[in-house]
């Protein structure tokens, strides 16, 4: 039948506890060689769940860990990795979301929803803010030579990731587009295009730069200089 102990019940040199029902641990459970939970797994439903390995060791889960909302940093509960919606991951510091990967795999910095540009697609990497500091990207290089940081655009005519199918004359290889809001969406007001300017050969890819601006009353840029 039932056994009720009013004081503290101490198990010494126990290597196995076999329970068919529910085990409730109200304080700490100390097991020298670790705790093994099989079959139905471990289900914690109330409060903040804390798993602390013995100092100098690592807590290991051999299966999936199911979390309803977030993983928080011990002693720093406003820093978290969250799952705010289906197929979405976010990271927070100081209680503010800083980064999000949405359900389409887009990386959003400073925003919770992706912007769509004038050609109708949403870039997989987006930075948005309300100041220069929060809406800028820095690429820095530190080296004792004359070389700089680089922003590189590449293109092939292949149809799979990693392809190197040769491009053709007239192919645009990289485009910088400048867009402004018209009160409803954003439209292109200028662009700089790097394009192939002849037939490529081995280690021989001729190129041109095309500078375009949008005239008043128009919705797209027109080439002005190359």
């Amino acid at each position: 039948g039932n056994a009720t102990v009013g004081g503290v019940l101490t198990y010494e040199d126990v290597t196995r506890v076999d329970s068919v029902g529910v085990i409730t641990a109200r304080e700490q459970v100390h097991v020298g060689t670790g705790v093994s939970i099989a079959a139905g797994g471990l289900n914690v439903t109330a409060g903040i769940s804390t798993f602390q390995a013995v100092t100098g060791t690592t807590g290991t889960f051999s299966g999936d860990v199911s979390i309803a909302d977030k993983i928080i940093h011990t002693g720093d509960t406003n820093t978290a990795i969250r799952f705010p919606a289906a197929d979405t991951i976010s990271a927070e510091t100081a209680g503010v979301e800083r980064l999000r990967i949405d359900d389409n795999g887009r990386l959003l910095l400073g925003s919770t929803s992706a912007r769509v540009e004038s050609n109708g697609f949403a870039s997989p990497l987006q930075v948005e803010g309300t100041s220069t500091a929060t809406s800028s990207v820095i690429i820095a290089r530190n080296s004792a030579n004359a070389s700089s940081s680089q922003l590189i655009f590449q293109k092939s005519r292949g149809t799979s990731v990693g392809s190197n199918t040769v491009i053709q004359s007239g192919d645009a290889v990289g485009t910088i587009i400048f867009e402004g809001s018209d009160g409803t969406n954003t439209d292109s007001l200028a662009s700089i295009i790097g394009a192939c300017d002849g037939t490529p050969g081995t280690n021989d890819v001729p190129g041109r730069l095309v500078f375009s601006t949008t005239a008043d009353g128009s919705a797209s840029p027109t080439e002005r200089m190359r």
Side-chain angles (χ1 to χ4, degrees):
N2 297 331
T4 301
V5 179
V8 177
L9 180 62
T10 303
Y11 292 90
E12 294 183 1
D13 301 325
V14 174
T15 58
R16 178 175 178 177
V17 177
D18 189 356
S19 175
V20 176
V22 177
I23 297 175
T24 302
R26 298 186 182 277
E27 295 186 7
Q28 293 184 1
V29 179
H30 298 277
V31 181
T33 57
V35 178
S36 177
I37 301 171
L42 175 65
N43 183 19
V44 181
T45 59
I48 297 176
S49 305
T50 302
F51 297 92
Q52 182 175 355
V54 178
T55 302
T57 65
T58 302
T60 302
F61 296 88
S62 59
D64 294 341
V65 178
S66 178
I67 297 170
D69 184 10
K70 61 184 176 180
I71 302 170
I72 63 173
H73 184 207
T74 301
D76 181 23
T77 56
N78 62 359
T79 298
I81 298 172
R82 301 195 64 175
F83 307 92
D87 302 317
T88 303
I89 302 172
S90 67
E92 296 182 358
T93 61
V96 178
E97 180 175 319
R98 309 296 185 180
L99 175 151
R100 174 175 292 217
I101 302 175
D102 70 8
D103 56 351
N104 287 299
R106 294 179 289 239
L107 176 59
L108 310 178
L109 301 176
S111 175
T112 59
S113 60
R115 280 184 175 267
V116 177
E117 63 96 56
S118 59
N119 287 324
F121 68 88
S123 170
L125 173 61
Q126 299 189 20
V127 180
E128 184 164 346
T130 57
S131 67
T132 300
T134 58
S135 55
S136 300
V137 176
I138 296 175
I139 303 176
R141 172 171 177 162
N142 301 282
S143 58
N145 53 40
S147 300
S148 67
S149 302
Q150 297 183 359
L151 178 62
I152 300 174
F153 298 89
Q154 294 185 344
K155 174 184 170 58
S156 83
R157 280 195 167 238
T159 57
S160 61
V161 174
S163 295
N164 274 307
T165 305
V166 63
I167 61 174
Q168 298 179 12
S169 181
D171 286 359
V173 174
T175 304
I176 301 174
I177 299 175
F178 305 87
E179 294 185 351
S181 176
D182 61 6
T184 302
N185 56 13
T186 58
D187 292 293
S188 177
L189 55 90
S191 68
I192 303 173
I193 301 174
C196 184
D197 198 43
T199 302
T202 302
N203 298 321
D204 173 22
V205 183
R208 64 172 178 255
L209 283 176
V210 178
F211 297 82
S212 302
T213 60
T214 302
D216 188 17
S218 179
S220 60
T222 299
E223 180 178 333
R224 308 299 184 183
M225 179 179 71
R226 72 169 57 186

